[in-house]
């Protein structure tokens, strides 16, 4: 099942548009790109690899138009983009797994040494989430800790 919380592709980028563009602007950009990348409009001397890239680009352009030209699907897509922006509220210095951290039996916490010499501390009850952002206890850096599902390695 697909994760509908995170958009797979940036449909605005594919059309060279931005979320504030109205439908007429989107349509103009779509029409310009679809003419450039339509399989019937390709030069006969292009390589097979280049033709395949153009076909994929054409498919992406067409999909972007289908999503962004429909008010309901565009609103849903915009909500997904906004949710992703809100989820990433601060920069993450590193992406690690629980296996990269040290377990302390006394405090029942995971820890990871920051480059400043401080510690990233993750308590046992915080490990229930698939991804957790942890801040250093000495500086402003943060890391994202991913829980590795059993059987994924």
């Amino acid at each position: 099942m697909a994760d509908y919380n995170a958009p797979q592709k940036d449909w605005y980028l594919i059309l060279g548009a931005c979320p504030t563009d109205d439908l007429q602007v989107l349509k103009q950009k779509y029409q310009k790109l679809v003419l450039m990348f339509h399989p019937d409009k390709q030069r006969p001397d292009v390589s097979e690899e280049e033709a395949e890239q153009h076909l994929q680009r054409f498919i992406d352009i067409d999909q972007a138009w289908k999503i962004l030209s429909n008010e309901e699907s565009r609103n849903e897509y915009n909500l997904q983009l906004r949710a992703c922006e809100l989820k990433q509220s601060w920069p993450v210095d590193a992406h690690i797994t629980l296996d990269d951290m040290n377990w302390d039996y006394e405090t029942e916490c995971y820890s990871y040494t920051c480059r400043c010499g401080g510690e990233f501390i993750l308590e046992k009850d915080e490990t229930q989430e698939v991804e957790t952002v942890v801040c250093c206890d000495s500086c402003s850096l943060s890391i994202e800790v991913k829980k590795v599902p059993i059987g994924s390695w």
Side-chain angles (χ1 to χ4, degrees):
M1 181 181 246
D3 179 11
Y4 293 104
N5 294 330
Q8 298 287 323
K9 294 186 179 186
D10 185 339
W11 301 121
Y12 289 108
L13 182 65
I14 288 169
L15 289 183
C18 52
T20 57
D21 288 345
D22 64 23
L23 188 59
Q24 187 60 36
V25 171
L26 289 175
K27 185 175 182 178
Q28 289 171 347
K29 292 180 180 200
Y30 163 74
Q31 288 174 333
K32 179 182 174 186
L33 289 170
V34 87
L35 285 174
M36 284 174 50
F37 292 98
H38 194 284
D40 293 342
K41 301 287 184 181
Q42 299 306 306
R43 299 182 329 264
D45 63 336
V46 297
S47 68
E48 189 175 323
E49 183 180 331
E50 190 176 358
E52 183 65 34
Q53 289 172 348
H54 283 207
L55 177 61
Q56 185 58 52
R57 182 84 194 271
F58 173 77
I59 291 168
D60 287 346
I61 291 164
D62 192 53
Q63 184 66 30
W65 173 246
K66 286 177 182 173
I67 290 170
L68 299 178
S69 66
N70 177 287
E71 185 178 350
E72 187 177 321
S73 62
R74 183 176 182 181
N75 287 339
E76 184 178 327
Y77 177 70
N78 287 341
L79 287 173
Q80 290 173 3
L81 287 178
R82 184 69 180 135
C84 285
E85 288 173 9
L86 292 174
K87 184 178 177 186
Q88 184 65 38
S89 58
W90 57 76
V92 174
D93 186 54
H95 300 272
I96 65 169
T97 65
L98 281 177
D99 292 340
D100 298 322
M101 300 184 83
N102 299 313
W103 174 252
D104 185 332
Y105 289 100
E106 259 183 54
T107 61
E108 293 191 345
C109 293
Y110 287 95
S111 66
Y112 187 79
T113 304
C114 181
R115 65 181 182 204
C116 76
E119 293 278 303
F120 296 101
I121 299 172
L122 183 64
E123 297 194 16
K124 186 178 180 179
D125 62 332
E126 295 175 307
T127 62
Q128 302 306 312
E129 298 292 322
V130 175
E131 297 176 355
T132 306
V133 175
V134 183
C135 297
C136 176
D137 63 1
S138 297
C139 71
S140 62
L141 295 177
S142 60
I143 59 171
E144 181 179 65
V145 181
K146 291 190 179 199
K147 182 178 175 182
V148 179
I150 297 172
S152 66
W153 22 270

